[in-house]
Amino acid sequence: MRVLIDKLYNTSNLDKNELEMLLNNLTSEDRDYLIDKAYEVRQKNYGKTVFFRGLIEISNICKYDCFYCGIRASNKKAKRYRLSKEEILECCNTGYSLGYRTFVFQGGEDSYFSDEILEEIIITLKKQYCDIAITLSLGERSEDSFKRLYKAGADRYLLRHETMNKELYQKLHPRMSLQNRINCLKSLRDIGYAVGSGFLIGLPGLKLSDYKEDLMFLKDLKPHMVGIGPFIPHEDTPLKDEIGGTAEDTITLLAIIRLLLPDVLLPATTALGTIDPKGREKGFRAGANVIMPNLSPMECREKYSLYKGKVFLGNESAQEKIKIEKSVIEAGFEPILKRGDNIRWKRK
Ligand code: SAM
C-alpha cells in the first residue's frame, strides 16, 4: 500500500483500480502514513492555515425530499423558517464586524429565494464590503440563474453530488437526477464560480471502496472546494434506522482527497464534529483546511436540523469566535478570517 500512497503523493493521481485496491487494503499503519502524507501536502500548499467561513442557514423550507435529510419536504415535524433579507444582512454585518470575510448562504430549495431577491442581497453586500467572498449553497438552479447570481457578485457555489452511485442516487432523491446535478456543477464551473462538490459517507449499502467512483469524479471535475461528511441518520426520515458513516472513513477520504487535489479547500465539516468531538482536529491533521462557524440567528439553529444531534459551531458573539480560534490554535493550526480563495481561482 505504501507504493500506492507514494504514487498518489508524488503524482496526485491513481486510477480507479488503484484507488479500489488502496481503499480495500489499508491497514491502520498505512492509514497513519496516508494521513502524514496528506498533512505534508496541506502544509506545502496552505501551511497551517484554517480558513473561517461564516455560515448562514437562510431557510429550512425545501421542495425536495432527499431520504436522508431532516428538512425534506415530507418531514411534517420540521418547524419551518425563512430569514428575511434584513435578517440575512444583519447576520453578515455582525459577522463582518467579528472579522469574517466569507459568508456562506445555505438552505433548502426554497422557491421564495428568486434570482431577484438573491441579487438584491448579494449586490447590497458587495457594495457595502469590497473585501468579502459570497458562497451560495442553495441547490440546483437554472444556468441562467447561476449566471445572474455570479454577475451580481456571488463568488463560490457549493453543490455536493452526494453519491456517484446512480441507482442509489435515484432511490434517495425522488424527482431529481444525478445527471442534472453534474450538469449544474459543470455550468457553475464554466460560468466562473469557484465550485465545490462532495459526497456523503456511509449511505446505505456503500462500502469504503465504492467511493472510488466519487473520487474519480472529483479528480475529473477539479473543484476548488470539496465538502465530504458522514451521513448521520435523522429520526424523522426514511433512513432513521440506518447506521450512518464513521469518522474513521471520513478522515481516510479527506486524506485521499487532499492528495488527489492538492490545492483544494477542504472543510472539516459540522457532521464530522458531530460524530466525533475531536473530529475537526483530526480532519485538519488529515488535510482539511476550512471551518464554518455558524452565524445564523440562535432561534433558527435547532430548526436547521439535517441530522440527529447536529452540533453548531459558535454563535454571533466575539467571545465565541475567540473560543473557536483558540481551539484551532491548540490543535496546532492558524486561524485565518480573510476571504481565502483557492490559489487556482480568479474571478473572470
Ligand atoms: N439544498 C442545498 C443542496 O442540495 O445542496 C443545500 C442544503 S443541503 C441540506 C446541504 C447538505 O446537507 C447536503 O449536500 C447533504 O450532503 C447534507 N445532509 C443532508 N442530510 C444529511 C444527513 N442526514 N447527514 C449528513 N449530511 C446531510
Side-chain angles (χ1 to χ4, degrees), residues 9-27:
Y9 172 77
N10 289 319
T11 66
S12 312
N13 213 353
L14 286 183
D15 66 27
K16 205 196 278 192
N17 292 334
E18 291 169 326
L19 280 171
E20 174 158 33
M21 196 180 302
L22 183 66
L23 291 166
N24 270 335
N25 295 294
L26 272 182
T27 62

Side-chain angles (χ1 to χ4, degrees), residues 148-175:
R148 284 180 63 169
L149 302 178
Y150 184 71
K151 203 162 156 235
D155 303 282
R156 309 175 185 150
Y157 207 103
L158 300 174
L159 186 75
R160 291 181 176 178
H161 66 269
E162 314 292 2
T163 176
M164 260 300 131
N165 182 314
K166 219 169 156 183
E167 277 162 40
L168 186 64
Y169 189 96
Q170 220 46 64
K171 243 198 239 167
L172 299 181
H173 303 93
R175 294 180 288 110

Side-chain angles (χ1 to χ4, degrees), residues 62 68-71 106-109 137-139 158-160 162 181 200 230-234 271 304 306-307:
C62 193
Y68 44 78
C69 186
I71 62 168
Q106 194 187 85
E109 311 225 4
S137 176
L138 300 171
L158 300 174
L159 186 75
R160 291 181 176 178
E162 314 292 2
R181 201 101 179 147
L200 281 165
F231 151 60
I232 306 174
H234 185 290
Y304 200 80
L306 306 182
Y307 45 80

Side-chain angles (χ1 to χ4, degrees), residues 257-273:
I257 291 167
R258 169 58 63 210
L259 293 175
L260 274 177
L261 299 164
D263 59 22
V264 81
L265 289 160
L266 189 62
T269 53
T270 308
L272 178 57

